[in-house]
Amino acid sequence: MPLGGCSGDFSALDPAGRSAASIASLWWAMLWGSFALFALVLGLFLAAVLIPRFGRGVSQKRWIILGGLVLPVPVLTGLTFYAFAHGEFLLRGAVSETDEVLEVRAVGRMWQWQFSYPSVPGSAVHTDLLHIPAGRTVEIIAESEDVIHSFWVPRLGGKIDAVPGHSNRLRIRADQPGRYGGICSEYCGTGHAGMHFEVQAHRQEDFREILTGGLHHD
Amino acid sequence: MRHPLLLLILAFVVWSGTFLLVYATQATGCSLGWHNDEIAFWRSPLRLILIVLVLTSLVAIVGTLAWLRRRHKPAAALQTSSFIGEVKTYVAVAAIFSTAFCFAGVFWLTLCPL
Amino acid sequence: MTENQSIHHNPIALHKALDRIWGTKPGWGRLAAVNHNVIGVRFMLTALVFFAIGGVLAMLIRTQLASSQSVFMDAETYGQVFTMHGTIMMFLFAIPFFEGMAIYLLPKLLGTRDLAFPRLGAYGYWCYLFGGMILIGALLAGVAPNSGWFMYTPLSSSVYAPGINSDVWLLGITFVEISALSAAVEIIVTIMKIRAPGMSLDRMPIFAWYMLVVATMMLIGFPPLILGSILLEVERAFDLPFFDPTRGGDPLLWQHLFWLFGHPEVYIIFLPAAGAISTILPVLAGTPLAGYRMIVAAIVSMAFLSFGLWVHHMYTVGIPHVALSFFSAASALVAIPTAIQIFAWLATLAHGRARFSIPMLHIFGFFFVFVIGGLTGVMLAMVPFDWQAHDTHFVVAHLHYVLVGGFIFPMLAMAYYWVPHLTGKQPVQHLSHAAFWMIFIGFNLTFFFMHLTGLRGMPRRVFEYPPEFGWEVLNFVSSMGSFVMAMGFALIALDFILLFKFGRAFRRNPWKAGTLEWAMPTPPPPYNFASIPRIDCRADLLDPDVIGPHLAAGRGYLGIPRDDRMEVLGVNSVTGEPEQLVLLPRQTFLPFWTAVATGSFFLLMLFKFYWATPVALAAVIVCFCLWSRSDASSFDDDAVPIGHGETVPVHIRAESPPSYLAMVLTLVADTTLYISLLFGCLFLWISAPNWPPENLQNPNLWLLILAAATMSLGSIGSRISKKSAHMALVGNGLAFAGHLISTGLLISIAFYSLPSPSGHAATASLFVILCYVALHGVVGSIFAAHALLRALRDHDMSVRALDLKIGGLWHDYSAASGFAAVGFCLLLDSLVHGGGL
């Protein structure tokens, strides 16, 4: 398969896993809500300026209480608490039951990623290429050897910073086998722009063999 | 320290103190292993401490509002003191709502790094 | 008295007399300017020059990104360009510009002649100019900062950035921030104390409320940044490992300190603009501002909430979810005070009859752009969404919507509204419409689709991208839009040049406003008001057409110039009743020379001539000591007539003079810095790897307690000295000796009793804390020496006790900081050795 296989493959709006999909639907909901609120505020502004006597029947205090409290308080409360629950869902790896999670160490350094699999004996260390099983939650343990980097595979889930001296965890998941683009999203020096990597999601039954070199994976 | 402007911000000063205290306690608790994720989440000692802290400061801010309203006596010109009294009440109510809203997460969200 | 008779009620004679006293002298005398009109305009013009430079850098960025794999710039150049674009726009344009606007406008809106500390304003300006020149010099020399405008460590540490680049940022920006802190103190004191009589808190123009809140936020918000910069510079220069994870430091400490400043900063920039809208919009709508009290409550709440959301820049650094939830909730909440203001403006418009003038067009631009920025802000406040959008072009789009919407459009509205005041001319308005639409359309073209670019995966700060990633069309659209926007700004510049050249003169109050700045001739004379008004209703509902001539004829307070003194009235901060006659210092070169001395310190640090820095510091101290000499302290009457049959004492004999409040505020900022330092060190214990240190020897505790105890002699001594003339000598001598001994002890502990501070961040923390207290001892001994000299010179200290009271505050604070250091050492010791609590 040519390398161009992952072209345009960085879109968070084209999710390929449950984590990314749930965030994408949150985005679409917020987008339509924002359109409505924007239209409302701008509509009121234009009406108040252009239409004589518009809105004069409503007292000033009422204007402020309706628009400044009654409108935003329920919207923000609903959104914020939904987002809390959503965050918990993502922290669990976008699965409701605690099923088995595969741990992967992702070590960032100027300017490449090295992936290793502590729980898979005999697995090789891969540079800029991450193999994961499809349909299973993967926990990335992000670490750094030099400056701060950030591990991000937009189609599979959120991002996590690799901070020197810390190891941070992020759960991602690919629903289907395939190739997904990954990128470093924290500025890490002159090589930052070129710090891409590729994620290959394999069928569960092929995964272990690919890792231990039993199956050719090109 | 009885300047009206200081009384005006008093409720939010309590909010700020709560913020500092709750965040510091949470981080310290995780560092010292008070969260104890072996047992059910609501029995974690860190969570209990945080809940107590949040509820206490909520009571403290409500108390602040009550105290502000009781001790409010027109000292300066009537208009100035009515102005300060009204703004003070708005700010205190905002602080109470903010306390309840900002720290509600201590009841169920993940306490410490995975 | 015949001179006074001729001046009486004769506007022209009065103008000549006042202009001679208040005016800035020509030629070299310009460097001695202290007048707020001059300083304010200088701030704004300098900021505009920096805006132009930052804008050119933005064009370079957009040129580079217009196509994939562009060969226009290499990665290193691009790093410097985007770092400097952000740095210049934030630190050298936005903040100084509104400072200049506040410096220019506040005394006029408050109905007085100048700010509380004209020399401080001048000093701040020179610090800003010199600091900005260091940064621009580095840009021209090709050694500009290159780690992004928030300078994340370790990328900006000496290991990964060995050049001078990061030092330029840390030292240059800290130098510039002196002007922000001095402006904060000056603005607060002016609003609290230097107003027109009768202007009680509830009658202040709404802009004064906004600036009071903003200045207070600056006072609390800037110290963490200054502390962070000092610590990082100390790490780079002397290898004290605060941010180095291999030696017990933590890169996250920098992020916390930076964003603890960085997020309030956004509101610090937005609120002055909102204040301008709250002032202009009611005038354009022809009706008073709706919900004055609710707006005051909203901006006070906003100020606090804005300090509780800095971690929303750090959702992806591995902080636990419950902690993120506090910041996420606060980030969502802060939208409510914003909504209250927006609907207060809508209510004002609905109840008035709006004129669709040029300022109103820009206010429309503000509503359109800022509301989008606010909505995307709420989206980013939600943790799950931010995990996707963080550090992508979505954030770039969002922050430009907020800052351009929340600052640039309001500032343009403000410019079209107030430039007639500044120049005395009205615009010709041929280019204004076209310029607005070009900026508006260009801006939205640039940044609206950039949201999508980010969501399609393009991270920030990449200088190239492979064509197959599918970001090229979107970037090309953004780049085209940005060129349209740039042309719009060029048209705005041309429009104002035309205004200066061909503008039409007008009589008074062209907008039919109700605020005091229009009750004066335009362009304004250096003294603003020939006499000071008495205010008997809210100060945005006045009639300048009536008040103006009345004041010009000298019928208000202080209508007769006396002995070439610059006089303003100090009032009770709540009721606005006159309390004191404040004598302002005359024009002087001291601020300029002090800034030169300060600048030499920063340059010596920058070029690593550390051995010479004590000389520069001594020069700074000598300069500041000279400030106190030229004080107007020779004149101290208890009852000076101020007109209308009223008398007040001169400020040095008054109950609460402005400089006393200024000292309190300075100590508030100082305390914030100290608390940030102590919390920062505790944060390292919690978060940093490689803790506890292998051999943390605590400093000799008894020696430390002895140092704190001797430090408190300053506090005791200053109390004793108040008892009698005789005791003044004893008390101040005691204070002086106490400070000196304590400083000596602290320095000996720091340098001899502690293990090498470069070994571990814990030792480095203790070292810096000791140095902090020792520095207070040095300054305290200078205060004590000054008091001692006065006690030797004149005996009656009780009358003009102002400088002694100020010194007393310092002595108390340094004693407290000494004991806090002891407490901190004990705490750290028990945490490290006790293996927890």
Side-chain angles (χ1 to χ4, degrees):
Chain A
M1 202 184 288
L3 203 79
C6 61
S7 66
D9 205 10
F10 294 89
S11 178
L13 303 180
D14 179 21
R18 281 189 219 167
S19 291
S22 72
I23 300 177
S25 21
L26 173 66
W27 149 254
W28 290 115
M30 292 196 297
L31 179 67
W32 295 121
S34 298
F35 268 134
L37 289 171
F38 174 76
L40 176 71
V41 175
L42 255 284
L44 288 174
F45 176 84
L46 291 175
V49 174
L50 299 175
I51 304 173
R53 314 200 61 78
F54 171 85
R56 243 181 243 198
V58 182
S59 78
Q60 291 188 328
K61 191 159 192 167
R62 226 184 155 76
W63 262 96
I64 299 174
I65 287 176
L66 286 177
L69 294 173
V70 174
L71 177 68
V73 171
V75 172
L76 289 171
T77 310
L79 181 62
T80 307
F81 281 83
Y82 171 76
F84 287 172
H86 189 192
E88 287 291 307
F89 171 71
L90 292 176
L91 284 175
R92 283 195 308 267
V95 281
S96 27
E97 75 286 1
T98 44
D99 58 11
E100 208 203 337
V101 169
L102 174 79
E103 288 190 342
V104 180
R105 260 186 89 208
V107 179
R109 67 155 85 118
M110 287 171 162
W111 290 279
Q112 52 180 223
W113 290 95
Q114 290 207 320
F115 301 102
S116 57
Y117 306 81
S119 61
V120 183
S123 60
V125 175
H126 296 266
T127 300
D128 287 343
L129 179 61
L130 167 62
H131 294 287
I132 60 169
R136 184 170 158 198
T137 300
V138 177
E139 183 160 293
I140 305 292
I141 306 168
E143 289 165 4
S144 167
E145 286 181 357
D146 39 44
V147 301
I148 302 175
H149 304 278
S150 188
F151 173 97
W152 188 33
V153 186
R155 294 188 64 198
L156 301 186
K159 59 178 70 69
I160 191 77
D161 289 358
V163 184
H166 294 258
S167 45
N168 291 327
R169 286 160 188 259
L170 168 78
R171 291 183 176 186
I172 59 170
R173 188 178 166 110
D175 286 342
Q176 298 296 329
R179 289 161 178 251
Y180 308 101
I183 217 159
C184 171
S185 64
E186 179 67 66
Y187 184 66
C188 53
T190 47
H192 169 59
M195 201 169 155
H196 313 299
F197 58 97
E198 190 180 69
V199 180
Q200 291 186 359
H202 307 280
R203 287 182 303 157
Q204 298 253 20
E205 47 271 37
D206 300 339
F207 173 67
R208 208 160 279 267
E209 284 182 73
I210 284 171
L211 270 196
T212 47
L215 225 152
H216 200 61
H217 57 265
D218 204 57
Chain B
M1 296 310 253
R2 290 300 166 85
H3 197 282
L5 286 182
L6 293 178
L7 295 178
L8 194 122
I9 60 172
L10 186 61
F12 255 113
V13 171
V14 180
W15 174 85
S16 312
T18 308
F19 202 107
L20 215 57
L21 198 64
V22 169
Y23 186 35
T25 311
Q26 178 270 329
T28 312
C30 288
S31 167
L32 298 178
W34 295 347
H35 52 296
N36 197 0
D37 38 14
E38 305 296 307
I39 48 178
F41 83 92
W42 42 270
R43 293 212 325 248
S44 147
L46 178 56
R47 193 177 299 280
L48 283 180
I49 296 173
L50 290 177
I51 290 174
V52 169
L53 271 180
V54 170
L55 292 179
T56 315
S57 43
L58 202 56
V59 172
I61 301 186
V62 174
T64 309
L65 175 63
W67 178 75
L68 286 175
R69 290 186 72 89
R70 211 177 45 244
R71 79 178 290 286
H72 183 72
K73 42 188 183 290
L78 199 60
Q79 188 135 39
T80 310
S81 101
S82 113
F83 165 80
I84 290 168
E86 192 178 331
V87 175
K88 209 153 60 180
T89 309
Y90 292 152
V91 172
V93 170
I96 292 169
F97 182 74
S98 305
T99 309
F101 195 82
C102 283
F103 307 115
V106 298
F107 285 94
W108 85 98
L109 298 179
T110 307
L111 282 176
C112 292
L114 296 169
Chain C
M1 288 294 112
T2 46
E3 192 199 11
N4 281 353
Q5 284 305 324
S6 70
I7 282 174
H8 211 59
H9 302 328
N10 177 349
I12 303 207
L14 187 54
H15 166 74
K16 281 190 176 144
L18 282 167
D19 198 47
R20 195 175 52 79
I21 302 173
W22 290 78
T24 298
K25 307 289 174 279
W28 289 108
R30 286 177 216 278
L31 295 181
V34 291
N35 188 270
H36 73 286
N37 281 307
V38 178
I39 302 293
V41 171
R42 278 183 191 170
F43 258 108
M44 288 191 278
L45 287 181
T46 312
L48 286 179
V49 171
F50 285 123
F51 178 67
I53 298 173
V56 169
L57 294 176
M59 291 302 100
L60 297 184
I61 294 175
R62 283 320 320 168
T63 308
Q64 171 74 13
L65 293 182
S67 61
S68 65
Q69 292 175 323
S70 161
V71 289
F72 177 51
M73 280 188 272
D74 59 11
E76 168 59 29
T77 316
Y78 187 74
Q80 294 192 15
V81 167
F82 75 71
T83 302
M84 284 300 284
H85 167 69
T87 304
I88 288 178
M89 289 306 197
M90 285 293 196
F91 295 102
L92 301 183
F93 164 63
I95 298 174
F97 188 83
F98 80 69
E99 279 167 18
M101 158 187 144
I103 288 171
Y104 178 84
L105 277 178
L106 270 177
K108 301 177 177 68
L109 285 162
L110 294 171
T112 187
R113 286 170 172 164
D114 208 331
L115 294 163
F117 308 110
R119 291 181 303 186
L120 194 62
Y123 173 66
Y125 174 73
W126 296 119
C127 286
Y128 160 52
L129 181 69
F130 297 158
M133 277 161 54
I134 291 180
L135 281 151
I136 300 300
L139 182 66
L140 294 176
V143 288
N146 55 2
S147 340
W149 79 273
F150 32 84
M151 293 289 290
Y152 274 5
T153 55
L155 189 61
S156 58
S157 309
S158 40
V159 182
Y160 302 101
I164 201 177
N165 313 49
S166 300
D167 302 306
V168 168
W169 194 97
L170 296 166
L171 294 166
I173 292 300
T174 305
F175 193 15
V176 171
E177 289 334 321
I178 294 177
S179 75
L181 275 184
S182 61
V185 171
E186 186 169 26
I187 288 170
I188 298 176
V189 176
T190 303
I191 296 173
M192 295 290 279
K193 301 242 71 127
I194 315 287
R195 309 197 291 255
M199 192 186 280
S200 50
L201 281 180
D202 55 309
R203 288 178 184 160
M204 287 205 306
I206 192 73
F207 186 74
W209 272 107
Y210 274 95
M211 285 317 301
L212 182 61
V213 170
V214 169
T216 314
M217 290 172 72
M218 289 165 74
L219 203 63
I220 310 289
F222 278 97
L225 172 71
I226 293 174
L227 173 72
S229 303
I230 292 173
L231 295 185
L232 184 51
E233 184 54 34
V234 164
E235 176 178 299
R236 291 178 55 86
F238 308 115
D239 199 30
L240 266 56
F242 294 100
F243 308 104
D244 177 1
T246 60
R247 287 178 286 165
D250 193 344
L252 294 182
L253 174 61
W254 169 265
Q255 299 194 10
H256 278 292
L257 289 174
F258 186 88
W259 291 118
L260 183 50
F261 145 82
H263 207 89
E265 149 99 338
V266 176
Y267 295 89
I268 289 172
I269 290 175
F270 166 63
L271 282 176
I277 290 181
S278 284
T279 309
I280 298 172
L281 186 138
V283 176
L284 300 178
T287 184
L289 177 67
Y292 177 90
R293 295 177 178 196
M294 285 198 225
I295 288 183
V296 173
I299 56 181
V300 169
S301 310
M302 197 175 202
F304 277 93
L305 288 171
S306 74
F307 279 92
L309 36 76
W310 78 88
V311 165
H312 77 209
H313 299 266
M314 302 168 60
Y315 282 164
T316 63
V317 302
I319 294 173
H321 197 213
V322 75
L324 296 185
S325 81
F326 310 150
F327 295 93
S328 174
S331 313
L333 266 186
V334 81
I336 294 175
T338 317
I340 287 178
Q341 290 172 76
I342 297 233
F343 277 85
W345 296 326
L346 289 176
T348 311
L349 286 173
H351 281 250
R353 185 166 304 188
R355 284 177 276 173
F356 225 109
S357 49
I358 297 296
M360 195 59 146
L361 204 56
H362 285 279
I363 289 178
F364 162 75
F366 154 77
F367 264 88
F368 188 99
V369 173
F370 184 72
V371 168
I372 293 180
L375 290 167
T376 52
V378 171
M379 295 179 187
L380 286 171
M382 299 303 126
V383 177
F385 179 67
D386 184 77
W387 281 340
Q388 281 287 27
H390 180 68
D391 265 333
T392 67
H393 270 71
F394 188 92
V395 174
V396 179
H398 157 72
L399 75 92
H400 283 89
Y401 266 87
V402 170
L403 291 170
V404 174
F407 191 72
I408 304 284
F409 280 111
M411 286 299 130
L412 287 171
M414 185 210 88
Y416 279 104
Y417 181 85
W418 271 308
V419 161
H421 185 277
L422 199 115
T423 58
K425 290 176 179 170
Q426 272 186 310
V428 224
Q429 295 202 0
H430 289 307
L431 297 173
S432 317
H433 280 93
F436 167 79
W437 287 110
M438 282 183 80
I439 293 178
F440 181 77
I441 293 168
F443 173 83
N444 283 295
L445 210 55
T446 311
F447 291 106
F448 191 75
F449 295 103
M450 199 182 279
H451 293 107
L452 188 58
T453 319
L455 290 176
R456 291 181 68 176
M458 183 164 168
R460 296 170 82 163
R461 300 172 170 182
V462 289
F463 79 109
E464 62 174 10
Y465 47 90
E468 66 267 20
F469 283 13
W471 302 329
E472 200 163 20
V473 175
L474 289 168
N475 272 297
F476 184 75
V477 171
S478 289
S479 294
M480 289 306 111
S482 76
F483 297 137
V484 176
M485 178 167 44
M487 287 184 260
F489 278 112
L491 274 191
I492 293 262
L494 190 58
D495 199 24
F496 280 112
I497 291 170
L498 290 179
L499 183 153
F500 287 115
K501 281 244 175 251
F502 307 110
R504 295 170 284 122
F506 60 94
R507 232 189 84 63
R508 202 190 278 279
N509 199 4
W511 302 103
K512 301 286 157 253
T515 37
L516 280 169
E517 84 274 25
W518 297 104
M520 64 179 67
T522 47
Y527 53 85
N528 284 347
F529 299 99
S531 60
I532 291 176
R534 171 166 270 282
I535 303 301
D536 50 11
C537 65
R538 209 168 83 191
D540 54 0
L541 310 174
L542 305 167
D543 187 353
D545 294 323
V546 176
I547 299 173
H550 177 84
L551 296 180
R555 288 174 203 273
Y557 292 95
L558 302 179
I560 299 171
R562 275 183 287 227
D563 305 336
D564 282 1
R565 286 196 300 262
M566 311 221 282
E567 297 178 334
V568 295
L569 283 178
V571 298
N572 179 291
S573 56
V574 181
T575 62
E577 285 312 311
E579 271 182 346
Q580 51 191 302
L581 180 74
V582 180
L583 301 178
L584 299 179
R586 298 288 303 268
Q587 297 81 353
T588 160
F589 290 98
L590 268 178
F592 177 77
W593 290 120
T594 315
V596 168
T598 317
S600 68
F601 169 76
F602 282 102
L603 283 176
L604 289 172
M605 284 293 293
L606 188 60
F607 293 110
K608 307 192 193 304
F609 294 115
Y610 302 123
W611 52 270
T613 49
V615 182
L617 278 182
V620 175
I621 291 172
V622 169
C623 284
F624 272 116
C625 287
L626 290 175
W627 286 41
S628 69
R629 250 179 31 156
S630 56
D631 219 345
S633 55
S634 57
F635 172 78
D636 55 350
D637 226 334
D638 234 349
V640 190
I642 55 171
H644 296 277
E646 294 176 45
T647 59
V648 290
V650 171
H651 70 279
I652 40 173
R653 302 181 70 132
E655 191 87 350
S656 63
S659 39
Y660 186 79
L661 179 57
M663 191 64 195
V664 173
L665 296 172
T666 309
L667 289 178
V668 168
D670 198 6
T671 315
T672 314
L673 186 124
Y674 194 34
I675 291 178
S676 309
L677 175 61
L678 297 180
F679 265 87
C681 300
L682 288 178
F683 172 80
L684 289 180
W685 166 69
I686 287 176
S687 169
N690 298 316
W691 272 71
E694 272 166 26
N695 56 342
L696 178 70
Q697 286 166 327
N698 234 342
N700 189 330
L701 196 65
W702 293 111
L703 214 54
L704 190 58
I705 293 175
L706 183 66
T710 41
M711 186 72 90
S712 62
L713 285 182
S715 180
I716 297 166
S718 79
R719 280 185 168 70
I720 293 177
S721 69
K722 283 177 198 146
K723 294 225 158 65
S724 71
H726 206 66
M727 294 305 275
L729 270 177
V730 180
N732 289 316
L734 194 65
F736 182 65
H739 277 299
L740 276 191
I741 295 169
S742 171
T743 307
L745 283 173
L746 288 164
I747 288 176
S748 71
I749 299 171
F751 283 90
Y752 302 111
S753 155
L754 275 184
S756 162
S758 58
H760 193 275
T763 336
S765 304
L766 291 176
F767 179 83
V768 167
I769 289 168
L770 292 175
C771 289
Y772 173 89
V773 183
L775 183 68
H776 283 72
V778 172
V779 178
S781 62
I782 295 170
F783 272 113
H786 171 75
L788 198 59
L789 284 179
R790 283 214 35 203
L792 288 171
R793 222 173 33 224
D794 52 357
H795 293 284
D796 188 13
M797 308 265 289
S798 60
V799 183
R800 298 197 309 242
L802 173 53
D803 41 359
L804 306 183
K805 281 201 317 203
I806 292 174
L809 276 175
W810 185 271
H811 297 317
D812 290 351
Y813 178 75
S814 21
S817 73
F819 284 112
V822 175
F824 181 82
C825 285
L826 286 172
L827 179 65
L828 195 67
D829 190 51
S830 75
L831 289 176
V832 169
H833 291 121
L837 292 174

